[in-house]
Amino acid sequence: MDALADLLNEARARGALFHQSILAPPWSLRFLHGAPLALVTMVRGDAWITPGGAAPVALRAGDIAIVRGPQPYTVSDRPGVPPQVLIHNDDHCTTPAGEDVSQALTLGLRTYGNSRAGEGLLLSGAYQLPSDVGERLLAALPPLLVLTEECWDCPLMPFVAEEVARDEPGQQVVLDRMLDLLLISTLRAWFARPEAEAPAWYRAHGDPVVGRALHLLHDNPAHPWTVVELAAKTGVSRAALARRFTGLVGEPPMTYLTGWRMALAADLLREPDMTVERAARRVGYANAFALSVAFKRVRGVSPSAHRARAQRAQPAPPPRTTPAALPGVASPAPRSPAPRSPAPRSPAPRSPAPTSPTSPV
């Protein structure tokens, strides 16, 4: 397996946030869900996407954007439109003043918006946890990348747009896998672009010697590799491999392997049932103590502390407030309280039957 395939293989959405928005201008959505990675595309109409405090970037119909979190980002019909809706965890929506508009904006299953006849159709999907994407993949991406329709032709989009509003058995699993496929196809196209700032290890795959060494390391990270063994398998001397690998990747082979093992261990330790001992053996260390020493040396924290921090970082949904309507959106009619059924009356106690003269007393 090559490094890119290994990286993309880590994308495993679980309970991904997927929804579509039908919008009439002017509109502006501020995404505050804190997702580690999100995909945004305009199925119909044009928009502008603004990550953090950066400059707006055009997002035309058919383009797709990947946003690396957890920083918030804004999507609007034109630059400078103040956010009208804030989107929190689990598609919970509020106004900037904090008023709940989730119900007012709901147009259907996983479908929201300010007008059913809106000319804009925005489709977005987000991974909820960093472990669903992989730490190494997140580190390889810029805060925002946009692929135009000309550079990215994905036959999945019509199916995704159709599946988002469906409610069939196993629908969440279908959406999870579709999000994975969208991410993989987008990143593969982006990494191939000349303007993409691909990481050094990706560019090094084109070298016959270093690319072969990277394949070996990624195929079996738990193997007790040495530079001597790698050099023998790549057909060069130890010195030649070390020099060539360092020049292309930016660090020596064993340093690269250690960093990759630590990133892999960090992802494994986010899994609820993973122990330090099991993670150690999965990434090539004899026991939990050996992994702990290496992990703390490279990352500055112990594996247990890393796991605890990752669990605390899981976003919690914000409190909900009183619903309020937005301009152009009809507020839902208040529900009348259901009439109470009268409480059943207890049966009156029966009078004892009169005693027969012949009955014993």
Side-chain angles (χ1 to χ4, degrees), residues 258-270:
T258 299
W260 185 57
R261 283 172 168 172
M262 294 305 102
L264 182 58
D267 289 338
L268 288 172
L269 289 168
R270 294 178 187 272

Side-chain angles (χ1 to χ4, degrees), residues 21-104:
S21 301
I22 306 173
L23 302 158
W27 57 268
S28 180
L29 309 178
R30 182 73 167 166
F31 291 83
L32 302 173
H33 46 49
L37 201 68
L39 282 76
V40 181
T41 183
M42 292 300 297
V43 179
R44 185 174 69 238
D46 298 338
W48 293 80
I49 185 167
T50 308
V57 177
L59 191 65
R60 309 302 181 192
D63 297 352
I64 188 166
I66 294 181
V67 188
R68 189 189 70 200
Q71 290 75 21
Y73 60 94
T74 302
V75 185
S76 56
D77 68 311
R78 65 178 187 272
V81 178
Q84 300 162 344
V85 178
L86 309 182
I87 301 177
H88 306 272
N89 298 336
D90 198 22
D91 290 338
H92 169 54
C93 305
T94 69
T95 66
E99 297 169 308
D100 191 332
V101 290
S102 302
Q103 190 175 3

Side-chain angles (χ1 to χ4, degrees), residues 6-30:
D6 184 77
L7 206 63
L8 297 179
N9 190 52
E10 294 182 0
R12 287 288 186 276
R14 288 171 288 186
L17 302 176
F18 234 131
H19 73 267
Q20 60 182 350
S21 301
I22 306 173
L23 302 158
W27 57 268
S28 180
L29 309 178
R30 182 73 167 166

Side-chain angles (χ1 to χ4, degrees), residues 244-286:
R244 197 161 176 170
F245 195 104
T246 304
L248 291 176
V249 179
E251 56 188 355
M254 294 300 101
T255 303
Y256 174 86
L257 177 60
T258 299
W260 185 57
R261 283 172 168 172
M262 294 305 102
L264 182 58
D267 289 338
L268 288 172
L269 289 168
R270 294 178 187 272
E271 299 177 7
D273 299 330
M274 180 61 62
T275 64
V276 179
E277 183 73 27
R278 287 174 56 204
R281 297 186 182 280
R282 290 272 296 271
V283 299
Y285 288 85

